[in-house]
Amino acid sequence: MNVAFIGTGGMGLPMARNLRRAGHAVTAWNRTRAKADPLAADGVVIADTVSAAVRDAEVAVTMLADDHAAEEALTAGILEALPRGAIHAGMSTVSVAFSKRAAKEHAARGQGYVAAPVFGRPEAAAAQKLWVVAAGPAETVERCRPLFEALGRGISVVGTDPSAANVVKLAGNSMIMAAIEAMGESFALAKASGVDPRQLLEVVNSALFQSPLYANYGAIIAEKRFEPPGFRLRLGLKDAQLVSAAADAVHVPMPLASLVRDRLLRAVAEGHGDIDWSAFSSL
Amino acid sequence: MNVAFIGTGGMGLPMARNLRRAGHAVTAWNRTRAKADPLAADGVVIADTVSAAVRDAEVAVTMLADDHAAEEALTAGILEALPRGAIHAGMSTVSVAFSKRAAKEHAARGQGYVAAPVFGRPEAAAAQKLWVVAAGPAETVERCRPLFEALGRGISVVGTDPSAANVVKLAGNSMIMAAIEAMGESFALAKASGVDPRQLLEVVNSALFQSPLYANYGAIIAEKRFEPPGFRLRLGLKDAQLVSAAADAVHVPMPLASLVRDRLLRAVAEGHGDIDWSAFSSL
Amino acid sequence: MNVAFIGTGGMGLPMARNLRRAGHAVTAWNRTRAKADPLAADGVVIADTVSAAVRDAEVAVTMLADDHAAEEALTAGILEALPRGAIHAGMSTVSVAFSKRAAKEHAARGQGYVAAPVFGRPEAAAAQKLWVVAAGPAETVERCRPLFEALGRGISVVGTDPSAANVVKLAGNSMIMAAIEAMGESFALAKASGVDPRQLLEVVNSALFQSPLYANYGAIIAEKRFEPPGFRLRLGLKDAQLVSAAADAVHVPMPLASLVRDRLLRAVAEGHGDIDWSAFSSL
Amino acid sequence: MNVAFIGTGGMGLPMARNLRRAGHAVTAWNRTRAKADPLAADGVVIADTVSAAVRDAEVAVTMLADDHAAEEALTAGILEALPRGAIHAGMSTVSVAFSKRAAKEHAARGQGYVAAPVFGRPEAAAAQKLWVVAAGPAETVERCRPLFEALGRGISVVGTDPSAANVVKLAGNSMIMAAIEAMGESFALAKASGVDPRQLLEVVNSALFQSPLYANYGAIIAEKRFEPPGFRLRLGLKDAQLVSAAADAVHVPMPLASLVRDRLLRAVAEGHGDIDWSAFSSL
């Protein structure tokens, strides 16, 4: 398939490479072009503009940092240059509102839109271990499926309205943040009470949650190993703010999500925006 | 081994039965004697008083509802009647402070004390699937090990000071409550946004946490199936209050645990004390 | 002075009337024209469009429900029709971001901009008892001063950047909401403990705060007299969301403001959007 | 009147002196006797034991640091040595539970019990500006009235069950803590937004609350003038814990009080227990 890949940062670069390795023709664009250049060695074409990248695409994948970057790519290239009948697969973690707007704009131009955010960190992206949460018109999603399969270990299709995928992604992140906060508090209680947090973590792993996510974050939190960051705290704050906005829009109180957002805000305000996001629970 | 079993309620009854079935000589006591009677058919001796139950015990197990009941059993029988050299294995979910006091009192009388609270609901108790978190002097814990093995699928020994086991139990419950609150909020967000909570739950199970605990509570919360209760909400409140007391004692702020405690308080105040505790996140 | 008054709702109508009574020539506009009509009897001219209303104004006052309405009035009339050298006095409770944008747009057209939100309910507006919090270039604020004096019992000038006034207004509302929540919780504690909330209120008034604001809200909360609304709960939610946005923008954690926002969200979700906002603390 | 004064710390010393100056015969006791000695110059008799101090008293006033100290004075002297028919006026800030217990014990011995905690800091105590919140059987309260009048600027009698006074005191403190937190957050928002907190404070004073309490704490918080302490943060934490216990006992959720308690806990854990309690909102 002819694929445009917009945004080759920490997540996007290995994803673009995996699409190329799966046999697709990939044209990539990145705002800082140097970050895309390594892909040339894999046979990826590097484009100078978003428009040039998407001009011949069957599917244009976006993997950008935030709503602002996604909005810019949309209005400064994708909408105008993506062929009629082609699909925009938005894989960034963006707002529910953005997906609603993008779906409308694309529909007006005869283009398809699928929201397909992923769970997984850069290592998972490199190892083709992402999990893709996709939503959009069934036929549109199906056309993207081979791409999603090349990127991850699984796909969940959660609805025909693209924004459903963003809701699920944000709800999921919200649960991860809650688990992080809960471990931060519990490990602090253990430690102050004279119990080694690693012993508590062992119980968490073997008896309580038996979950790789708890095992991974638990180890980071128990050892306060927040550098280098797997996912930067300031991006975690962005996600928490997207959760807040999504909750506001449908009038759902989420006090735990609010608590976490305030902890992240505090951490950023105190200068910890560039360490691992799980640190917010322990500062 | 000669075992006294004090407290044969929803959890205690199947535990006492499993000890008997593992070949131990069990004498049981329960405040409401009728609740202990079914054990007679298994060959368990039913005692009229705590003192009578523990008089010849090598190990006296307590499995009582709260600090108050545990205190009563301790002062109205166990301390005075348990033989020197015998061990009190406190398996109830009680306060850190209680364990500290019990350890001291038993030591003064030449008796051993092990705190050994469990993770698991009554079904798990019946199926020998509990997880025992034990703490106490190593030799004392070892003498209890055959009993713990007859009760569960695993044992974590978390320290030589008995109260360490209570800390771990409370910290663990605190994390479970956080997971429940997080699911309640996230499922509400999904639903209000037009996404079926069961689809979100599928992502939770396959992509995010891959944890039996999330799967079990997630199903209850997604379907708002809070009756009959697996664990009553008013007991959940009690646990949340024990977490609070433990955190206060060592000056550890636990804002998420506080939030959960207030949600439980509200639920009890509104008359929901006898439905499943996981309901607090959805009321 | 030639004054345009945009937005003659519950607050705006008595304000426009007071300006007229102070001797100013007032042209008013309201989206639902019928709501402006009663002002004709006072000698106020009713305009059909925003542009028509502001065309000859020396000062155009806006008093609108929210950012959306304020944005609309700005772009659909005020910016294009307000004379060069004239001033826009934004008295609505709007976002900090809106004021920053409005100031820039007006400056680009040689128009002045002052933000001047007010504290006070409709009764206070009618009784010329509002308190005006103004910010903007000193000379611009001074030209508006006679108008502000006709509206209220006092004026605080809090800076030369107009958005400073919005910050103060939102910070103030945030403190009021905190006081409301605190009274709701404390009165509930009193009542459940067998103490008449009115006795607690008397102590609040005579010993603790000695504040008319506590006295007023305290009486409403002690008697749960939430209808008719003095200020609708759904507007309180809007303000809480503006506080949240302002805090986010400068990375200031405001956990108490977040708590209140979640309480308001819950109240709106449960259908209480049209009773008095102070009810959120008691639902 | 013959008065025993138990506890002559920062608050108790000026209170005992004022009682003496009002013409009462005062016998004082303090755990650290040296702290009571200055009263000798005023004609106060210093006793060596609690029992000796209360033996001939018509009213024994207690003004102690916490439940623990109050309990000790009660059981190690007051109950046994206070004459039948005499009254114990408990003016310390203690738990609701303590007052219930004290009332019962005194009644069993034919002694009267009034709870009469005060609002006011040491300066107010010295200046006879305290506010006394009293509760107990009407006739008993009346007999104490001359003493209360010698101590303060006003008295509120809030019920016939002594513990009602403790409820009111704790509810009041809870509202003060909320106001402190609200100011801390709002001033931080102002400052980060480029607005001088003192300008916001001026609006608080003149337009919003018009309350001496806001004015006083507002000045401290706006200038971050937390040393020397007017009231130590660790005592504020104690009060927050008493609020929590009172709320728990009657199943009233107080999420704002919980938030404040966690902030105080954090402040103490970080070593700020001995600066002014209002600092918790700004750390």
Side-chain angles (χ1 to χ4, degrees):
Chain A
M1 224 183 282
N2 270 350
V3 180
F5 204 102
I6 307 301
T8 58
M11 290 293 288
L13 186 119
M15 290 167 72
R17 182 175 282 140
N18 282 334
L19 290 177
R20 176 71 198 111
R21 286 181 184 170
H24 300 289
V26 179
T27 306
W29 174 88
N30 195 63
R31 199 171 44 156
T32 309
R33 189 192 160 115
K35 286 195 185 164
D37 284 341
L39 290 167
D42 296 281
V44 169
V45 177
I46 314 299
D48 284 326
T49 62
V50 172
S51 302
V54 306
R55 193 159 295 141
D56 299 317
E58 291 164 82
V59 176
V61 174
T62 46
M63 192 67 197
L64 296 155
D66 54 26
D67 269 44
H68 181 73
E71 187 71 38
E72 207 165 81
L74 191 72
T75 56
I78 302 179
L79 283 176
E80 63 170 33
L82 187 69
R84 272 186 88 81
I87 300 171
H88 173 194
M91 303 190 78
S92 323
T93 296
V94 289
S95 70
V96 173
F98 175 82
S99 260
K100 287 187 191 286
R101 210 159 52 235
K104 209 170 120 187
E105 296 286 350
H106 280 301
R109 286 161 180 81
Q111 300 153 344
Y113 179 69
V114 170
V118 299
F119 286 110
R121 295 180 165 217
E123 312 84 75
Q128 283 182 277
K129 293 257 172 81
L130 297 175
W131 191 281
V132 179
V133 178
E139 184 265 348
T140 315
V141 172
E142 285 317 305
R143 276 165 60 201
C144 297
R145 189 177 286 272
L147 304 183
F148 299 157
E149 280 171 350
L151 294 172
R153 65 185 171 88
I155 305 167
S156 297
V157 180
V158 297
T160 54
D161 174 346
S163 71
N166 304 98
V167 169
V168 168
K169 167 67 181 170
L170 294 176
N173 273 18
S174 179
M175 285 185 272
I176 297 173
M177 291 189 252
I180 290 171
E181 173 67 16
M183 282 190 274
E185 293 186 8
S186 294
F187 290 10
L189 172 63
K191 201 174 168 197
S193 306
V195 177
D196 186 336
R198 284 169 304 185
Q199 279 187 306
L200 173 53
L201 179 56
E202 209 197 282
V203 173
V204 165
N205 290 340
S206 53
L208 270 180
F209 292 108
Q210 308 170 55
S211 160
L213 189 142
Y214 275 83
N216 292 342
Y217 280 113
I220 293 173
I221 297 168
E223 298 161 19
K224 302 203 179 223
R225 187 167 26 86
F226 302 126
E227 291 179 276
F231 180 62
R232 282 173 202 279
L233 202 147
R234 66 176 72 256
L235 295 176
L237 172 58
K238 184 208 71 173
D239 286 3
Q241 290 168 331
L242 293 178
V243 170
S244 223
D248 259 19
V250 292
H251 286 168
V252 170
M254 297 181 73
L256 168 40
S258 296
L259 184 161
V260 163
R261 200 191 56 154
D262 283 318
R263 300 268 282 180
L264 284 159
L265 261 180
R266 181 182 177 120
V268 168
E270 290 179 347
H272 304 297
D274 290 309
I275 61 175
D276 194 70
W277 75 322
S278 58
F280 78 81
S281 68
S282 313
L283 292 171
Chain B
M1 224 183 280
N2 270 350
V3 180
F5 204 103
I6 307 301
T8 59
M11 291 292 291
L13 186 118
M15 289 168 71
R17 183 175 281 139
N18 283 333
L19 290 177
R20 176 72 198 108
R21 287 182 182 169
H24 301 289
V26 179
T27 305
W29 174 89
N30 196 62
R31 199 171 45 154
T32 309
R33 189 191 161 115
K35 286 195 183 163
D37 282 341
L39 289 168
D42 297 282
V44 170
V45 177
I46 315 298
D48 284 325
T49 63
V50 171
S51 301
V54 306
R55 191 159 296 137
D56 300 317
E58 291 164 84
V59 177
V61 174
T62 45
M63 191 68 197
L64 295 155
D66 54 25
D67 269 45
H68 180 74
E71 187 72 38
E72 207 166 80
L74 190 71
T75 55
I78 302 179
L79 283 176
E80 63 170 33
L82 187 69
R84 272 187 87 82
I87 299 171
H88 173 193
M91 303 191 78
S92 324
T93 296
V94 289
S95 69
V96 173
F98 175 82
S99 259
K100 287 187 190 287
R101 208 158 54 235
K104 209 170 122 187
E105 296 287 348
H106 281 300
R109 286 161 181 81
Q111 300 152 344
Y113 179 69
V114 170
V118 299
F119 287 108
R121 295 179 165 218
E123 313 84 74
Q128 283 181 279
K129 293 259 172 79
L130 297 174
W131 191 281
V132 179
V133 178
E139 183 265 348
T140 316
V141 172
E142 285 317 305
R143 275 165 61 202
C144 297
R145 188 177 285 273
L147 304 182
F148 298 157
E149 281 171 349
L151 294 172
R153 63 184 171 90
I155 304 168
S156 298
V157 180
V158 297
T160 54
D161 174 345
S163 71
N166 304 97
V167 169
V168 168
K169 167 67 180 169
L170 293 175
N173 273 17
S174 180
M175 285 184 272
I176 296 173
M177 291 189 252
I180 289 172
E181 173 67 17
M183 282 190 273
E185 292 186 8
S186 293
F187 290 11
L189 172 63
K191 202 175 167 195
S193 307
V195 177
D196 186 335
R198 284 169 303 186
Q199 280 189 305
L200 174 53
L201 179 56
E202 210 199 281
V203 173
V204 165
N205 290 340
S206 52
L208 271 180
F209 291 108
Q210 305 165 256
S211 160
L213 189 141
Y214 275 82
N216 293 342
Y217 279 114
I220 293 173
I221 296 169
E223 297 163 19
K224 303 203 178 225
R225 188 168 26 87
F226 301 125
E227 292 178 277
F231 180 63
R232 283 174 203 278
L233 203 148
R234 68 175 71 257
L235 295 176
L237 172 57
K238 184 210 72 174
D239 286 4
Q241 290 167 331
L242 293 178
V243 171
S244 225
D248 260 18
V250 291
H251 286 168
V252 171
M254 296 182 74
L256 169 42
S258 295
L259 184 161
V260 163
R261 200 192 57 154
D262 283 318
R263 301 268 282 179
L264 285 159
L265 260 180
R266 180 181 178 122
V268 168
E270 290 179 348
H272 304 297
D274 290 310
I275 61 176
D276 194 70
W277 74 324
S278 58
F280 77 81
S281 69
S282 312
L283 292 171
Chain C
M1 224 183 279
N2 271 349
V3 180
F5 204 104
I6 308 300
T8 58
M11 291 293 290
L13 187 118
M15 290 168 73
R17 183 174 283 139
N18 283 334
L19 290 177
R20 177 71 196 108
R21 288 182 182 169
H24 301 287
V26 179
T27 305
W29 174 89
N30 196 63
R31 200 170 43 155
T32 309
R33 189 192 159 114
K35 286 195 185 164
D37 283 340
L39 289 167
D42 297 283
V44 170
V45 178
I46 314 299
D48 283 326
T49 63
V50 172
S51 301
V54 306
R55 193 158 296 142
D56 299 317
E58 290 164 82
V59 177
V61 174
T62 45
M63 192 66 198
L64 296 156
D66 53 25
D67 270 45
H68 181 72
E71 185 72 37
E72 208 164 78
L74 190 72
T75 56
I78 301 178
L79 284 176
E80 63 171 30
L82 188 69
R84 271 187 88 81
I87 300 171
H88 173 193
M91 303 190 77
S92 324
T93 296
V94 289
S95 69
V96 173
F98 175 82
S99 260
K100 287 187 189 285
R101 211 159 50 235
K104 208 169 122 188
E105 297 287 349
H106 280 301
R109 286 163 181 79
Q111 300 152 344
Y113 179 68
V114 170
V118 299
F119 287 108
R121 296 182 165 215
E123 312 85 74
Q128 283 181 279
K129 293 257 173 82
L130 297 175
W131 191 280
V132 179
V133 178
E139 183 266 347
T140 316
V141 172
E142 285 317 304
R143 278 165 59 201
C144 297
R145 189 178 286 271
L147 304 183
F148 300 158
E149 280 170 352
L151 294 171
R153 62 182 173 91
I155 305 168
S156 297
V157 180
V158 297
T160 54
D161 174 347
S163 71
N166 304 98
V167 168
V168 168
K169 168 66 181 170
L170 294 175
N173 273 16
S174 180
M175 284 184 272
I176 297 173
M177 292 188 252
I180 290 172
E181 172 68 16
M183 281 190 272
E185 293 185 7
S186 294
F187 290 11
L189 172 63
K191 202 175 166 195
S193 307
V195 177
D196 186 334
R198 283 170 305 186
Q199 280 188 305
L200 173 53
L201 179 56
E202 210 197 282
V203 173
V204 165
N205 291 340
S206 52
L208 272 179
F209 292 107
Q210 305 165 257
S211 160
L213 191 142
Y214 275 82
N216 293 342
Y217 280 114
I220 294 174
I221 296 169
E223 298 162 19
K224 303 204 179 223
R225 187 167 29 86
F226 302 126
E227 292 178 276
F231 181 62
R232 284 174 202 279
L233 202 147
R234 68 175 71 256
L235 294 177
L237 172 57
K238 183 209 73 172
D239 286 3
Q241 290 168 331
L242 293 179
V243 171
S244 225
D248 260 20
V250 291
H251 286 166
V252 171
M254 297 182 74
L256 168 41
S258 295
L259 184 161
V260 163
R261 199 191 58 154
D262 283 318
R263 301 268 283 178
L264 284 160
L265 261 180
R266 180 180 178 123
V268 168
E270 290 179 348
H272 304 297
D274 291 309
I275 61 176
D276 194 71
W277 74 323
S278 58
F280 78 81
S281 68
S282 312
L283 293 171
Chain D
M1 223 183 282
N2 271 349
V3 180
F5 204 103
I6 307 300
T8 59
M11 290 292 290
L13 185 117
M15 290 168 71
R17 182 173 285 140
N18 283 333
L19 290 177
R20 177 72 197 107
R21 289 182 181 172
H24 301 287
V26 179
T27 306
W29 174 90
N30 195 64
R31 200 170 45 154
T32 309
R33 190 191 160 113
K35 286 195 185 165
D37 283 340
L39 289 167
D42 296 282
V44 169
V45 177
I46 315 299
D48 284 326
T49 63
V50 172
S51 301
V54 305
R55 193 159 295 140
D56 299 316
E58 289 162 85
V59 176
V61 174
T62 46
M63 192 65 197
L64 296 155
D66 55 23
D67 269 44
H68 180 73
E71 186 72 37
E72 208 165 79
L74 190 72
T75 55
I78 302 179
L79 284 176
E80 64 171 31
L82 187 69
R84 271 186 88 81
I87 299 172
H88 172 194
M91 302 191 78
S92 324
T93 295
V94 289
S95 70
V96 173
F98 175 81
S99 259
K100 287 185 190 287
R101 208 159 54 236
K104 209 170 122 188
E105 297 287 350
H106 280 300
R109 285 161 181 82
Q111 300 153 344
Y113 179 69
V114 170
V118 298
F119 286 108
R121 296 180 164 215
E123 311 85 75
Q128 281 181 280
K129 291 258 173 80
L130 297 175
W131 191 280
V132 179
V133 178
E139 184 264 347
T140 316
V141 171
E142 286 318 304
R143 277 166 60 202
C144 297
R145 189 178 285 271
L147 303 182
F148 300 157
E149 280 170 351
L151 294 171
R153 62 183 172 93
I155 305 168
S156 297
V157 180
V158 297
T160 54
D161 175 345
S163 70
N166 304 97
V167 168
V168 168
K169 167 68 180 169
L170 293 175
N173 273 15
S174 179
M175 284 184 273
I176 297 173
M177 292 189 252
I180 290 172
E181 172 67 17
M183 281 190 274
E185 293 186 6
S186 293
F187 290 11
L189 172 63
K191 202 176 168 195
S193 306
V195 177
D196 186 335
R198 284 168 304 184
Q199 279 189 305
L200 174 53
L201 178 57
E202 209 198 283
V203 174
V204 165
N205 291 341
S206 52
L208 271 179
F209 292 108
Q210 306 170 57
S211 161
L213 189 141
Y214 275 82
N216 293 341
Y217 280 114
I220 293 173
I221 297 169
E223 297 162 20
K224 303 203 179 223
R225 191 167 23 89
F226 302 125
E227 291 177 277
F231 180 63
R232 283 174 202 278
L233 202 147
R234 69 176 71 256
L235 293 177
L237 171 58
K238 182 210 74 173
D239 285 3
Q241 290 168 332
L242 293 178
V243 171
S244 224
D248 259 20
V250 291
H251 286 168
V252 170
M254 297 182 74
L256 167 42
S258 296
L259 184 161
V260 163
R261 200 192 57 155
D262 284 318
R263 300 267 282 180
L264 284 159
L265 261 179
R266 181 181 177 120
V268 168
E270 289 179 349
H272 304 296
D274 290 311
I275 61 175
D276 194 70
W277 74 323
S278 59
F280 77 82
S281 69
S282 312
L283 293 171

